[in-house]
Amino acid sequence: MVDRVQLERILYIDDEPDIRFVAGAALSAEPHVTFRGLQTSDDAIPLLATFDPQLIMLDLMMPN
């Protein structure tokens, strides 16, 4: 039997605000999910200690 973990905290990092909005709308539709969308990975560093995401989704085609 496989143990399944229910995701509750998702961090999504993308420099495109429209894509962040769509991802946030889709992921936030799940009542048990807390979604945080950020523009840069630098913005994520201070958040990691308090938010403790179970999944980090990162756009690979970002500047810098």
Side-chain angles (χ1 to χ4, degrees):
M1 178 172 200
V2 176
D3 289 332
R4 294 187 180 181
V5 174
Q6 184 172 6
L7 290 177
E8 297 174 352
R9 296 175 310 280
I10 299 174
L11 176 59
Y12 181 72
I13 305 166
D14 195 319
D15 60 323
E16 293 290 332
D18 293 338
I19 297 174
R20 271 196 325 272
F21 176 79
V22 170
L27 294 169
S28 296
E30 293 294 325
H32 62 275
V33 172
T34 301
F35 172 84
R36 298 281 176 92
L38 300 175
Q39 185 171 356
T40 69
S41 55
D42 289 338
D43 295 338
I45 302 299
L47 182 67
L48 292 176
T50 58
F51 184 57
D52 191 28
Q54 294 168 292
L55 175 67
I56 298 174
M57 300 167 58
L58 175 65
D59 176 15
L60 297 178
M61 300 292 292
M62 292 193 303
N64 301 324

